[in-house]
Amino acid sequence: MKICVLAGDGIGPEITDQALRVLHALDLKFDVTEAPVGGAAYRALGHPLPDSTLKLARESDAILFGAVGDFSLDTLPRELRPEQAILGLRKELNLFANFRPALVYPELVQASSLKPEVVAGLDILIIRELTGDIYFGQPRGIRTLANGEREGYDTMRYSESEIRRVAHVGFQAAQKRGRRLCSVDKANVLDTMQLWREVVSEVGEEYPEVALSHMYVDNAAMQLLKNPKQFDVIVTGNMFGDILSDEASMLTGSIGMLPSASLNEHGFGLYEPIHGSAPDIAGKNIANPLATILSAAMMLRYSFNLAEAAERIETAVKRVLAQGFRTSDIFEPGAKKAGTIEMGDAVLAALS
Ligand code: IPM
Ligand code: MG
């Protein structure tokens, strides 16, 4: 099992370190290679996604990714900004299906800003399309109009085949869970999203046992706060999925808890926490490593078919929460305050 570790910027190295410690404790044989990515790669090699890094990623069986983003590089031309590393990996490796589960652990019900009865027991899965939409659509740019004023423009695009393949992923995920799929779009305003709705409905005819519903994204944003437990699986486009998954993370108490898997059609995957590089807390041993540790568990399950080992990690995380360990993002009075490393220690101890 060849794992390529791309730690990246900010808290990326600290959190991937803890996930690696957990993986190494499992008595499985991993071959781990590391490569620079994001701002760190720009500083070392002049590009956020150097060819050497992309090559290592391609040659691996799975990628464990930390985070990218560095405010001090925000003035670089877009193609050299740290974020281009993750966007480039998703596009180059065709990782179109992004799984973002949002699970509320009983111990963290109080950490959510919502009422306990609204979030207790919540278990939803957001499937975000990851290689299309306004993120990648051409043309885009900033141009100067005849009157001398500048205008920014981006293009939302989805082809039928792009919609169809992620819809299949959504229906198949729903089959394995509560058999309810909600497709989120903005078909009332955008032509792209009208096509989205049509194609998802067509695909739905192949899955009669899954109850399909459609919801406009603005309403979905509201319903996630009002009654999130109405959802089982949500399938949506790249930009709406970006926004809704951050929102969903707050139902669970902290964005520091949410793992993700980004898969291509062959099941090759990149695994990363949904949060960013958090440069403000980097290097202080306070970041929550659990989202990355849980991403490693998703890697074992999806890329290596090691469901039991994945469950061992997930059970250890539950134990650690039950034991009262909390990083500062989920801290509450009376809990055991843990730093990044101490949280890793606690998970290691709970593995056995
Ligand atoms: C995410 C992030 C990325 C995105 C950024 C870092 C480019 O917000 O994975 O959700 O917008 O997709
Ligand atoms: Mg995001």
Side-chain angles (χ1 to χ4, degrees):
M1 292 182 277
K2 274 200 266 180
I3 302 176
C4 175
V5 177
L6 306 176
D9 304 321
I11 60 173
E14 307 165 56
I15 54 176
T16 46
D17 273 355
Q18 297 313 312
L20 276 175
R21 287 177 73 203
V22 171
L23 282 174
H24 284 308
L26 291 175
D27 291 328
L28 301 164
K29 281 252 174 301
F30 297 112
D31 175 6
V32 176
T33 52
E34 300 193 34
V37 78
Y42 173 77
R43 290 180 204 284
L45 300 165
H47 196 279
L49 182 56
D51 287 340
S52 51
T53 296
L54 186 57
K55 183 164 180 281
L56 268 185
R58 278 189 205 284
E59 287 166 357
S60 68
D61 298 316
I63 302 167
L64 184 66
F65 192 90
V68 288
D70 180 335
F71 294 131
S72 66
L73 299 177
D74 279 355
T75 49
L76 285 173
R78 174 161 314 280
E79 65 277 12
L80 292 178
R81 285 192 214 168
E83 288 78 5
Q84 291 305 307
I86 185 63
L87 297 173
L89 281 162
R90 290 169 181 171
K91 194 71 178 173
E92 289 290 330
L93 303 172
N94 207 12
L95 307 170
F96 69 91
N98 182 217
F99 289 67
R100 298 192 162 188
L103 204 80
V104 172
Y105 295 92
E107 295 81 9
L108 294 187
V109 166
Q110 298 297 335
S112 174
S113 52
L114 273 79
K115 294 195 188 101
E117 61 269 28
V118 175
V119 296
L122 181 80
D123 177 358
I124 62 178
L125 172 62
I126 297 181
I127 294 181
R128 169 188 176 194
E129 201 288 332
L130 209 54
T131 53
D133 202 353
I134 195 164
Y135 267 56
F136 294 97
Q138 294 291 336
R140 63 184 289 167
I142 299 172
R143 62 189 162 203
T144 304
L145 302 174
N147 67 2
E149 189 189 16
R150 286 185 308 155
E151 176 189 61
Y153 59 103
D154 294 272
T155 307
M156 177 178 273
R157 278 178 190 273
Y158 265 121
S159 67
E160 278 185 279
S161 57
E162 286 175 307
I163 302 168
R164 194 167 292 121
R165 65 182 183 175
V166 77
H168 277 290
V169 172
F171 281 106
Q172 284 161 20
Q175 271 180 331
K176 294 188 200 136
R177 293 175 41 110
R179 286 193 230 101
R180 283 178 298 123
L181 180 67
C182 179
S183 170
V184 171
D185 62 37
K186 189 71 187 174
N188 52 341
V189 177
L190 304 169
D191 286 354
T192 312
M193 288 290 132
Q194 187 184 320
L195 182 69
W196 176 281
R197 189 174 284 218
E198 279 172 27
V199 174
V200 172
S201 302
E202 273 168 37
V203 173
E205 289 167 19
E206 296 174 43
Y207 300 89
E209 68 287 8
V210 175
L212 170 66
S213 59
H214 302 275
M215 201 179 272
Y216 298 137
V217 63
D218 49 348
N219 187 26
M222 183 181 78
Q223 295 296 334
L224 270 174
L225 297 184
K226 191 177 167 202
N227 177 19
K229 285 186 247 178
Q230 71 185 281
F231 297 107
D232 176 22
V233 181
I234 290 175
V235 65
T236 190
N238 202 346
M239 185 160 69
F240 297 161
D242 178 45
I243 299 166
L244 293 182
S245 59
D246 265 33
E247 186 187 1
S249 77
M250 275 300 118
L251 305 172
T252 74
S254 170
I255 196 165
M257 293 298 301
L258 259 68
S260 82
S262 307
L263 307 177
N264 72 13
E265 69 274 36
H266 309 297
F268 176 83
L270 177 151
Y271 302 84
E272 59 170 329
I274 82 155
H275 61 70
S277 59
D280 49 322
I281 61 165
K284 298 185 179 158
N285 192 41
I286 54 177
N288 186 346
L290 293 179
T292 316
I293 291 173
L294 291 167
S295 298
M298 288 185 94
M299 176 172 81
L300 295 177
R301 178 172 291 115
Y302 290 112
S303 281
F304 300 126
N305 234 327
L306 294 169
E308 242 171 76
E311 263 164 47
R312 257 187 91 193
I313 297 180
E314 289 157 355
T315 306
V317 167
K318 284 182 200 146
R319 268 193 208 141
V320 159
L321 294 173
Q323 289 162 356
F325 291 100
R326 302 282 187 276
T327 40
S328 55
D329 55 316
I330 49 177
F331 187 75
E332 54 196 300
K336 299 177 193 148
K337 186 76 154 264
T340 310
I341 297 171
E342 291 71 35
M343 196 56 133
D345 291 343
V347 175
L348 280 182
L351 272 179
S352 43

Short mmCIF file of all heavy atoms in Angstrom, two decimals, residues 70-113:
data_model
loop_
_atom_site.label_atom_id
_atom_site.label_comp_id
_atom_site.label_asym_id
_atom_site.label_seq_id
_atom_site.Cartn_x
_atom_site.Cartn_y
_atom_site.Cartn_z
N ASP A 70 -2.09 30.07 2.20
CA ASP A 70 -1.07 30.87 2.87
C ASP A 70 -1.35 32.33 2.47
O ASP A 70 -1.14 32.71 1.32
CB ASP A 70 0.30 30.39 2.37
CG ASP A 70 1.45 31.15 3.00
OD1 ASP A 70 1.25 32.30 3.44
OD2 ASP A 70 2.56 30.58 3.04
N PHE A 71 -1.85 33.11 3.46
CA PHE A 71 -2.25 34.48 3.16
C PHE A 71 -1.15 35.29 2.48
O PHE A 71 -1.40 36.11 1.62
CB PHE A 71 -2.66 35.22 4.45
CG PHE A 71 -3.90 34.66 5.07
CD1 PHE A 71 -3.93 34.35 6.43
CD2 PHE A 71 -5.03 34.44 4.31
CE1 PHE A 71 -5.09 33.83 7.01
CE2 PHE A 71 -6.20 33.92 4.87
CZ PHE A 71 -6.22 33.61 6.23
N SER A 72 0.10 35.00 2.87
CA SER A 72 1.18 35.83 2.35
C SER A 72 1.44 35.57 0.87
O SER A 72 2.19 36.30 0.23
CB SER A 72 2.46 35.60 3.17
OG SER A 72 2.90 34.28 2.98
N LEU A 73 0.79 34.54 0.32
CA LEU A 73 0.97 34.26 -1.12
C LEU A 73 -0.29 34.63 -1.92
O LEU A 73 -0.39 34.31 -3.11
CB LEU A 73 1.31 32.78 -1.33
CG LEU A 73 2.61 32.30 -0.65
CD1 LEU A 73 2.81 30.81 -0.86
CD2 LEU A 73 3.81 33.07 -1.18
N ASP A 74 -1.24 35.32 -1.28
CA ASP A 74 -2.50 35.63 -1.95
C ASP A 74 -2.36 36.64 -3.08
O ASP A 74 -3.28 36.80 -3.89
CB ASP A 74 -3.54 36.15 -0.93
CG ASP A 74 -4.21 35.00 -0.19
OD1 ASP A 74 -3.93 33.83 -0.55
OD2 ASP A 74 -4.98 35.26 0.76
N THR A 75 -1.24 37.33 -3.13
CA THR A 75 -1.08 38.32 -4.19
C THR A 75 -0.41 37.72 -5.43
O THR A 75 -0.25 38.40 -6.44
CB THR A 75 -0.23 39.51 -3.70
OG1 THR A 75 0.94 38.97 -3.07
CG2 THR A 75 -1.00 40.34 -2.68
N LEU A 76 -0.05 36.45 -5.36
CA LEU A 76 0.53 35.79 -6.54
C LEU A 76 -0.53 35.66 -7.63
O LEU A 76 -1.72 35.65 -7.33
CB LEU A 76 1.00 34.38 -6.17
CG LEU A 76 2.29 34.23 -5.35
CD1 LEU A 76 2.47 32.77 -4.95
CD2 LEU A 76 3.48 34.72 -6.16
N PRO A 77 -0.11 35.54 -8.91
CA PRO A 77 -1.10 35.23 -9.94
C PRO A 77 -1.84 33.93 -9.58
O PRO A 77 -1.25 33.05 -8.95
CB PRO A 77 -0.26 35.04 -11.21
CG PRO A 77 1.16 35.30 -10.85
CD PRO A 77 1.26 35.64 -9.40
N ARG A 78 -3.11 33.84 -9.97
CA ARG A 78 -3.94 32.73 -9.53
C ARG A 78 -3.29 31.36 -9.70
O ARG A 78 -3.36 30.50 -8.83
CB ARG A 78 -5.30 32.74 -10.26
CG ARG A 78 -6.15 31.51 -9.93
CD ARG A 78 -7.62 31.68 -10.23
NE ARG A 78 -8.15 32.93 -9.76
CZ ARG A 78 -8.49 33.18 -8.50
NH1 ARG A 78 -8.36 32.25 -7.60
NH2 ARG A 78 -8.95 34.36 -8.17
N GLU A 79 -2.62 31.14 -10.83
CA GLU A 79 -2.09 29.79 -11.11
C GLU A 79 -0.95 29.40 -10.18
O GLU A 79 -0.55 28.24 -10.16
CB GLU A 79 -1.71 29.64 -12.59
CG GLU A 79 -0.56 30.51 -13.07
CD GLU A 79 -0.97 31.94 -13.46
OE1 GLU A 79 -2.11 32.36 -13.15
OE2 GLU A 79 -0.14 32.65 -14.06
N LEU A 80 -0.43 30.37 -9.42
CA LEU A 80 0.65 30.03 -8.48
C LEU A 80 0.20 30.03 -7.03
O LEU A 80 0.97 29.76 -6.11
CB LEU A 80 1.81 31.02 -8.66
CG LEU A 80 2.56 30.93 -9.99
CD1 LEU A 80 3.65 31.99 -10.07
CD2 LEU A 80 3.16 29.54 -10.20
N ARG A 81 -1.09 30.32 -6.79
CA ARG A 81 -1.57 30.35 -5.40
C ARG A 81 -1.67 28.94 -4.85
O ARG A 81 -1.94 27.99 -5.58
CB ARG A 81 -2.93 31.02 -5.33
CG ARG A 81 -2.79 32.51 -5.50
CD ARG A 81 -4.08 33.20 -5.15
NE ARG A 81 -4.23 34.36 -6.01
CZ ARG A 81 -5.34 35.06 -6.14
NH1 ARG A 81 -6.42 34.71 -5.47
NH2 ARG A 81 -5.39 36.10 -6.93
N PRO A 82 -1.47 28.81 -3.54
CA PRO A 82 -1.48 27.49 -2.90
C PRO A 82 -2.71 26.65 -3.23
O PRO A 82 -2.61 25.44 -3.45
CB PRO A 82 -1.43 27.82 -1.41
CG PRO A 82 -0.80 29.16 -1.32
CD PRO A 82 -1.16 29.89 -2.58
N GLU A 83 -3.90 27.28 -3.28
CA GLU A 83 -5.15 26.55 -3.52
C GLU A 83 -5.13 25.80 -4.85
O GLU A 83 -5.85 24.82 -5.04
CB GLU A 83 -6.35 27.51 -3.51
CG GLU A 83 -6.72 28.05 -2.14
CD GLU A 83 -5.80 29.18 -1.68
OE1 GLU A 83 -4.92 29.62 -2.45
OE2 GLU A 83 -5.96 29.59 -0.51
N GLN A 84 -4.32 26.29 -5.79
CA GLN A 84 -4.26 25.63 -7.10
C GLN A 84 -3.75 24.20 -6.97
O GLN A 84 -4.00 23.36 -7.83
CB GLN A 84 -3.38 26.41 -8.08
CG GLN A 84 -3.98 27.74 -8.49
CD GLN A 84 -5.37 27.60 -9.06
OE1 GLN A 84 -5.60 26.83 -9.99
NE2 GLN A 84 -6.33 28.33 -8.49
N ALA A 85 -3.03 23.91 -5.90
CA ALA A 85 -2.50 22.56 -5.71
C ALA A 85 -3.63 21.56 -5.55
O ALA A 85 -3.67 20.53 -6.22
CB ALA A 85 -1.57 22.52 -4.49
N ILE A 86 -4.57 21.87 -4.67
CA ILE A 86 -5.65 20.90 -4.44
C ILE A 86 -6.61 20.87 -5.64
O ILE A 86 -7.09 19.81 -6.05
CB ILE A 86 -6.39 21.16 -3.09
CG1 ILE A 86 -7.41 20.08 -2.80
CG2 ILE A 86 -7.04 22.52 -3.03
CD1 ILE A 86 -6.85 18.69 -2.63
N LEU A 87 -6.83 22.05 -6.24
CA LEU A 87 -7.71 22.07 -7.42
C LEU A 87 -7.06 21.29 -8.55
O LEU A 87 -7.73 20.54 -9.27
CB LEU A 87 -7.98 23.53 -7.84
CG LEU A 87 -8.74 24.36 -6.79
CD1 LEU A 87 -8.82 25.82 -7.21
CD2 LEU A 87 -10.14 23.80 -6.55
N GLY A 88 -5.74 21.45 -8.71
CA GLY A 88 -5.01 20.74 -9.76
C GLY A 88 -5.02 19.23 -9.54
O GLY A 88 -5.20 18.46 -10.48
N LEU A 89 -4.83 18.81 -8.31
CA LEU A 89 -4.86 17.36 -8.01
C LEU A 89 -6.23 16.77 -8.32
O LEU A 89 -6.34 15.71 -8.92
CB LEU A 89 -4.52 17.12 -6.53
CG LEU A 89 -3.04 17.18 -6.16
CD1 LEU A 89 -2.88 17.35 -4.66
CD2 LEU A 89 -2.31 15.92 -6.64
N ARG A 90 -7.27 17.49 -7.89
CA ARG A 90 -8.63 16.99 -8.15
C ARG A 90 -8.85 16.83 -9.65
O ARG A 90 -9.39 15.82 -10.11
CB ARG A 90 -9.66 17.96 -7.56
CG ARG A 90 -9.68 17.97 -6.04
CD ARG A 90 -10.53 19.13 -5.51
NE ARG A 90 -10.53 19.17 -4.05
CZ ARG A 90 -11.05 20.16 -3.32
NH1 ARG A 90 -11.59 21.21 -3.93
NH2 ARG A 90 -11.01 20.11 -2.02
N LYS A 91 -8.44 17.84 -10.41
CA LYS A 91 -8.68 17.83 -11.85
C LYS A 91 -7.79 16.80 -12.55
O LYS A 91 -8.28 15.98 -13.33
CB LYS A 91 -8.40 19.23 -12.41
CG LYS A 91 -8.93 19.46 -13.81
CD LYS A 91 -10.45 19.53 -13.79
CE LYS A 91 -11.03 19.80 -15.18
NZ LYS A 91 -12.49 19.69 -15.17
N GLU A 92 -6.49 16.82 -12.24
CA GLU A 92 -5.55 15.92 -12.92
C GLU A 92 -5.87 14.45 -12.66
O GLU A 92 -5.69 13.60 -13.51
CB GLU A 92 -4.12 16.20 -12.44
CG GLU A 92 -3.52 17.51 -12.94
CD GLU A 92 -3.24 17.48 -14.43
OE1 GLU A 92 -2.97 16.39 -14.96
OE2 GLU A 92 -3.32 18.55 -15.05
N LEU A 93 -6.32 14.16 -11.44
CA LEU A 93 -6.58 12.76 -11.07
C LEU A 93 -8.06 12.41 -11.23
O LEU A 93 -8.48 11.31 -10.88
CB LEU A 93 -6.10 12.50 -9.63
CG LEU A 93 -4.61 12.82 -9.41
CD1 LEU A 93 -4.25 12.71 -7.94
CD2 LEU A 93 -3.73 11.88 -10.23
N ASN A 94 -8.82 13.38 -11.74
CA ASN A 94 -10.23 13.13 -12.05
C ASN A 94 -11.04 12.70 -10.82
O ASN A 94 -11.88 11.80 -10.90
CB ASN A 94 -10.30 12.06 -13.14
CG ASN A 94 -11.57 12.18 -13.96
OD1 ASN A 94 -12.28 13.19 -13.85
ND2 ASN A 94 -11.88 11.16 -14.74
N LEU A 95 -10.77 13.33 -9.71
CA LEU A 95 -11.42 12.97 -8.44
C LEU A 95 -12.77 13.67 -8.35
O LEU A 95 -12.94 14.64 -7.60
CB LEU A 95 -10.51 13.37 -7.27
CG LEU A 95 -9.07 12.82 -7.36
CD1 LEU A 95 -8.19 13.46 -6.29
CD2 LEU A 95 -9.08 11.30 -7.21
N PHE A 96 -13.73 13.21 -9.12
CA PHE A 96 -14.98 13.97 -9.27
C PHE A 96 -15.98 13.76 -8.14
O PHE A 96 -16.90 14.54 -7.98
CB PHE A 96 -15.64 13.63 -10.61
CG PHE A 96 -16.19 12.23 -10.66
CD1 PHE A 96 -17.50 11.97 -10.29
CD2 PHE A 96 -15.39 11.17 -11.05
CE1 PHE A 96 -18.01 10.68 -10.31
CE2 PHE A 96 -15.89 9.87 -11.08
CZ PHE A 96 -17.20 9.62 -10.71
N ALA A 97 -15.81 12.68 -7.36
CA ALA A 97 -16.82 12.38 -6.33
C ALA A 97 -16.26 12.62 -4.94
O ALA A 97 -15.39 11.90 -4.48
CB ALA A 97 -17.30 10.94 -6.46
N ASN A 98 -16.75 13.64 -4.29
CA ASN A 98 -16.25 14.03 -2.98
C ASN A 98 -17.28 13.68 -1.90
O ASN A 98 -18.39 14.19 -1.89
CB ASN A 98 -15.98 15.55 -3.00
CG ASN A 98 -15.40 16.09 -1.71
OD1 ASN A 98 -15.73 17.20 -1.31
ND2 ASN A 98 -14.55 15.35 -1.06
N PHE A 99 -16.87 12.77 -1.01
CA PHE A 99 -17.74 12.33 0.09
C PHE A 99 -17.43 13.14 1.34
O PHE A 99 -16.30 13.10 1.83
CB PHE A 99 -17.49 10.85 0.41
CG PHE A 99 -17.98 9.90 -0.64
CD1 PHE A 99 -17.41 9.86 -1.89
CD2 PHE A 99 -19.03 9.02 -0.35
CE1 PHE A 99 -17.86 8.97 -2.85
CE2 PHE A 99 -19.49 8.13 -1.31
CZ PHE A 99 -18.90 8.11 -2.56
N ARG A 100 -18.43 13.83 1.84
CA ARG A 100 -18.24 14.62 3.06
C ARG A 100 -19.32 14.24 4.08
O ARG A 100 -20.39 14.85 4.14
CB ARG A 100 -18.28 16.11 2.75
CG ARG A 100 -17.16 16.52 1.82
CD ARG A 100 -16.96 18.02 1.69
NE ARG A 100 -15.63 18.28 1.14
CZ ARG A 100 -15.07 19.47 1.04
NH1 ARG A 100 -15.73 20.53 1.44
NH2 ARG A 100 -13.85 19.60 0.55
N PRO A 101 -19.03 13.23 4.89
CA PRO A 101 -20.01 12.84 5.91
C PRO A 101 -20.03 13.84 7.06
O PRO A 101 -18.98 14.36 7.44
CB PRO A 101 -19.50 11.48 6.39
CG PRO A 101 -18.07 11.40 5.99
CD PRO A 101 -17.81 12.42 4.92
N ALA A 102 -21.19 14.11 7.59
CA ALA A 102 -21.30 14.96 8.78
C ALA A 102 -22.05 14.17 9.84
O ALA A 102 -23.23 13.86 9.69
CB ALA A 102 -22.03 16.26 8.46
N LEU A 103 -21.32 13.85 10.89
CA LEU A 103 -21.81 12.95 11.92
C LEU A 103 -21.74 13.69 13.25
O LEU A 103 -20.71 14.28 13.56
CB LEU A 103 -20.83 11.77 11.96
CG LEU A 103 -21.31 10.45 12.48
CD1 LEU A 103 -22.10 9.76 11.37
CD2 LEU A 103 -20.09 9.58 12.82
N VAL A 104 -22.82 13.65 14.01
CA VAL A 104 -22.76 14.28 15.33
C VAL A 104 -22.50 13.21 16.39
O VAL A 104 -23.32 12.32 16.61
CB VAL A 104 -24.06 15.05 15.65
CG1 VAL A 104 -24.06 15.54 17.09
CG2 VAL A 104 -24.22 16.23 14.71
N TYR A 105 -21.34 13.28 17.00
CA TYR A 105 -21.02 12.35 18.10
C TYR A 105 -21.80 12.79 19.33
O TYR A 105 -21.86 13.99 19.61
CB TYR A 105 -19.51 12.39 18.39
CG TYR A 105 -18.68 11.86 17.25
CD1 TYR A 105 -18.18 12.72 16.27
CD2 TYR A 105 -18.41 10.51 17.14
CE1 TYR A 105 -17.42 12.23 15.21
CE2 TYR A 105 -17.65 10.01 16.09
CZ TYR A 105 -17.16 10.88 15.13
OH TYR A 105 -16.42 10.39 14.08
N PRO A 106 -22.37 11.82 20.06
CA PRO A 106 -23.20 12.18 21.23
C PRO A 106 -22.45 13.13 22.18
O PRO A 106 -23.04 14.07 22.71
CB PRO A 106 -23.47 10.84 21.91
CG PRO A 106 -23.11 9.77 20.93
CD PRO A 106 -22.29 10.37 19.85
N GLU A 107 -21.13 12.88 22.33
CA GLU A 107 -20.33 13.69 23.28
C GLU A 107 -20.20 15.14 22.83
O GLU A 107 -19.83 16.01 23.61
CB GLU A 107 -18.93 13.11 23.44
CG GLU A 107 -18.90 11.73 24.07
CD GLU A 107 -19.19 10.62 23.08
OE1 GLU A 107 -19.26 10.90 21.86
OE2 GLU A 107 -19.37 9.47 23.53
N LEU A 108 -20.42 15.40 21.53
CA LEU A 108 -20.18 16.75 21.02
C LEU A 108 -21.47 17.52 20.75
O LEU A 108 -21.44 18.62 20.19
CB LEU A 108 -19.34 16.70 19.74
CG LEU A 108 -17.91 16.18 19.92
CD1 LEU A 108 -17.13 16.35 18.62
CD2 LEU A 108 -17.19 16.91 21.04
N VAL A 109 -22.59 16.93 21.14
CA VAL A 109 -23.87 17.59 20.89
C VAL A 109 -23.85 19.03 21.43
O VAL A 109 -24.33 19.96 20.79
CB VAL A 109 -25.02 16.78 21.53
CG1 VAL A 109 -26.29 17.58 21.60
CG2 VAL A 109 -25.25 15.49 20.73
N GLN A 110 -23.21 19.21 22.59
CA GLN A 110 -23.17 20.54 23.20
C GLN A 110 -22.24 21.50 22.46
O GLN A 110 -22.33 22.71 22.62
CB GLN A 110 -22.73 20.45 24.67
CG GLN A 110 -23.66 19.64 25.55
CD GLN A 110 -25.06 20.23 25.65
OE1 GLN A 110 -25.25 21.43 25.47
NE2 GLN A 110 -26.05 19.38 25.92
N ALA A 111 -21.31 20.95 21.68
CA ALA A 111 -20.35 21.80 20.99
C ALA A 111 -20.97 22.49 19.78
O ALA A 111 -20.45 23.48 19.26
CB ALA A 111 -19.14 20.98 20.55
N SER A 112 -22.10 21.96 19.32
CA SER A 112 -22.78 22.60 18.18
C SER A 112 -23.44 23.88 18.65
O SER A 112 -23.89 23.98 19.79
CB SER A 112 -23.83 21.66 17.60
OG SER A 112 -24.56 22.33 16.60
N SER A 113 -23.51 24.85 17.75
CA SER A 113 -24.19 26.10 18.11
C SER A 113 -25.70 25.95 17.99
O SER A 113 -26.45 26.85 18.34
CB SER A 113 -23.68 27.24 17.23
OG SER A 113 -23.78 26.86 15.88
#
